[in-house]
Structures are given as structure tokens and as C-alpha cells.
Amino acid sequence: MRWTIKPKPNSKTVEDLQKALQVDCSIATLLIQRGIDTYEAAKTFFRPSLDDLHDPFLMKDMDLAVLRIEKAWSQNENILVYGDYDVDGTTSVALLSSYLKTKSDSIATYIPDRYDEGYGISYKGIDFAHDNDFTLIVALDCGVKAIEKVAYANEKGIDFIICDHHRPGNELPKAVAILDPKRDDCEYPYKELCGCGVGFKLIQALASKEGQPVEALAEYLDLVATAIGADIVPITGENRALAYFGLQVINTNPRPGIKALIAEVKKEELTITDVVFIVAPRINAAGRMKHGNYAVTLLTETDEFLVENYAKEINTFNLDRREADQRITKEALLQIEDNKEEGKLTSVVYHETWHKGVIGIVASRLIETYYRPTLVFTKSGDQLAASARSVKGFDVYNALEACSEHIEQFGGHKYAAGLTLKEENYEAFKQAFEDEVSKTIDRSLLTPEIQIDEQIELSDITPKFYRIIRQFAPFGPGNMTPLFMTENLRDTGYGKCVGEDDKHLRLTVKQGQQKIVGIAFNLGHKLSLIKDEKPFKAVFSIDENHWQGNVSLQLKIRDIKE
């Protein structure tokens, strides 16, 4: 594990912020690292408000989208709300369709089949719209590159409004409106919305035309917060406010579908991390194992009895998903060993029976064992399909582009991509990918990195310090949970391995007169480093330990070194 300490901000800037906020140097440093360097910025950060959301009409084409939907309402046109099968897509469809249904009965939803139609807008979906007299399709979390599909819809007399957050190509589809903050000609101030976030801006615009304040739309924010967490977009700026208030809804008055998914969770308050690991995988499991429609139905149903049954179904899909990804991961790891490929710079594995819905998860799991660019292939029709995942700092999309002579189709971004190729090209591609990575990767990127915010002393860790850190939440990209490093630590002699197979380490660390309990998950193998009061250094976050009614601070230790 590589440890990297973030550079210290300018000392004058730290001092000025310290004075303005009346906080200590460590807190001021953490804020400046997150781009918060004035009293006003800190106020917005610590006290999010829905009033801080931008005017939705600053988004290019928003006026055209609103006019087209109002026209559809007035003429009682049928509107089809279309979205992708992942969490961002299904929450977007749930959000917009349930809002539109408060204004019109002529609303239906469509999620493409992951296996039959694939990602994004499909000809089959447009044919469905045409056969059922839909004259307007609103596409969410997809569509910004669907030039031919939108043209096909136009030929059939169907208009499109596109709400997307992916980067457009050089040419845009001929849609009535394209809402996408990443358009070059869009001056919307915040570029990092997810698809559901763009959908929310559309209902905010529609509601504002009727004189409704944004607070009236708070009930939809549980969906937006779920999508923000699942889609791994930065939790900064507008996303921070949406996630903050969305979590409040999840914790106080969630829609019945989300309430049913979290019913088993024994926690007083869910965080964005809980949403990512509890709610999102279950919603995703519908599209992976069966069909994304199940997720939309769960998220829009209001009858509690029906919701309970839908949630049971989705939980079953999630158990199937978990069983499949664990089994396939074991098989993939065995394949790497059998082929004696442990020493390569890439992992490329294939089996024709592996479930296409989980190969992306398996690729991520393989990286936990072999930290390197990874592709997991399965059979898909008469071709092979793969999910690619990368390591921090390496652009897997560019590497695939360099191997494109062996590939039929590919798409994605720096850290995750998908591709298809002919079976007879698999071995040639596998070698070409290994060659390309070995030529272009900086070898240091093959060791996982821990980015440390600050070096502190144990005496800095006080209840007040932790109370302020807690207010940095919700955490996520752009505002990760602060990680600290402390040197010259010693165990008090009670350090021991705990958990199944002694995987974890529980210890009480001391530095001078200061003592604090620490838990180190998956670091049981480092017990020898802390034995006999040997000095060591550790990287950790600060957390609360709840035990038998008592609450105390503890360290969640990420790594230990001599």
C-alpha cells in the first residue's frame, strides 16, 4: 500500500480561515483541501439549503423541455418516460413518472431489457412507443449520443426530450430539448449532476412555472440521493445539498419502496455509504438478474402490502446476484492461477456461462486480489461481452482504444468500460491488451494508494474535533471521509486478532498519555508489527463505537507500517 500525504495548503489561507471560523488548524486545512476557503463557502458547506440550488432555467434547452411537456399536458398526449436499467436510470424514471402522474393520467414508463436491448435508447423501445400512440418520449440517464435512434423516432412522429449527464459526442441528436450540463454550449453552473439530478431539475422547472417552491419537491429527494450515491458522482456543490436533504427524507419519511428495502437495517441513521451498500445493490439487482421494471414498480408503488411483496422479490434477486458474483469471482481467481497469470500486468478472464449481469462486479472484486486493469468476459449471443475496470490513475478506455482492431464495439470512461468482440479474436485481444498496458502503465499505479489528508497527534482527537468532522458528511467523491496519519504509536499490550479466520485486528493505541481504541479490518496479518510495544504508524479515520449503551471515539485503521 502506497501512502501519499496531500500537500499542505498555503499557511496564510489556513490562518485566515481559522480566524474567520474560529476552528483549529486541522479543520481549516481539511476545508481548504476541499475547496472551501472563505466564511461564505464554509457556511454553505456546513449548512446546506435548498435555496442554494441553481435556477433550473440556466440549463440549456430547459425552457424548450418545459414548453413541450406543458403542450403534451394541454393536448392530453401520451408521454413515455424512458430510462436506463441501473440505479440512476430507474430512480430517474420513478422520479419523473411519479411527478408527471400528478398532472396527467397519460404517463407510462419503459426500461430496456439489459440483455435483449442493451444500454440506452433502443429501436424496440421506440417501436413500443409508436405502437401504443406515445408522441413524446422523455429519456433519462441516456440518449445524448442516440443520433440514429432519435431520427428513427422523429420519422414515426415521436418527439424526444433527453435528460442526460454523459459527455456528448461532436453531434447532438435532433431532439426537442437536450438537458445535459456537460454540453459545451450549456452554461449551467454545476456540471456533475447524475441522471436523476437532471430529472429533478426538470421537475423543479415544471413546478416553478406553477409557482411551487423547491421545498414542495422534497419527497423526491430520497430517489436523487440514492442515485448520487450509486452513480459515484462528486458530492460537492449542488449534489451535496441534494444528497443532504435526500438523506433526511430517507431517514425520516422515505417512499414505501425504499422504506421496505431498509426495513432490516438496525441503524438509527443511514449515511450515503449505507445507501450505496444497502439500497443501491438491491435496486441494481432487478436490472442485473431480471428486469429494471421491477425496480421502477417498487419505487413508485404506494400500497404498502404490494411494496412488501415487491421488496421480497428484489431481495431474492439480490441474493441471486450475490451468489453469482461470489461463485464467478472464485472461478475467475482459479482461472488466473491455473493459467499461471498471477505475475501479469492485467487480468483477462472468460467463461461462456458467467452471468452477464454481474461481470462488472466480478471485475471489481478481482482488483481487490490482483490490483491491475481487469476484464471479465462472458458469452453474449454469437459474441463475447466484457466489463472492464481499472486502477486509480490508469485510463482503461484509452488502452481499449489502442486494441480496437480486435474489438467489435466498446464504450465507457477512464475507470470502467464495456466491450464486445468475436470469440476467435479473444486470445489476440488478450495479448494485445497485456502488451498495451505493459507499455503505458506507470508501475507505481499497480500498488494501491491511500491518500492521507493530514498528519495529526492522538491528542488532537477530541469529541469537539469529531463533532466538526461529522458535519462534513455526506461523504463521497470530492469530499471523502478524512484520513489521518499518526506516527510513534504503541499498542497497550491488548492487541489481538478477531473475527472469522482472525482476519481483523483490535487494539488500544497510545501516544504519550493519550489512548484510544482502534479496529483494523482485514489487517490481522499485521499483528506482528504491533507486538511487544513496538512503535508503528497508522492511517485511520475517526468513528464512534457504540457498545452496551456507551458511545466512545475509535480509530478505523486502514493500514499499519513499522
Side-chain angles (χ1 to χ4, degrees), residues 17 53 58 68 84 141 145 221 235 283 441 454 558:
L17 192 62
L53 298 185
L58 294 174
R68 183 64 187 87
D84 197 23
D141 189 35
K145 287 187 172 177
L221 291 176
I235 303 188
I283 295 172
I441 198 163
E454 282 189 274
R558 299 283 185 94

Side-chain angles (χ1 to χ4, degrees), residues 14 216 221 319 342 366 405 414:
V14 173
L221 291 176
L319 290 171
E342 298 96 328
L366 293 181
E405 63 181 293
K414 185 172 180 176

Side-chain angles (χ1 to χ4, degrees), residues 251 261-270 274 278 546:
N251 282 306
L261 291 180
I262 60 178
E264 303 300 310
V265 184
K266 304 285 185 283
K267 275 188 86 172
E268 278 179 32
E269 193 173 321
L270 269 69
D274 298 317
I278 296 162
H546 294 250

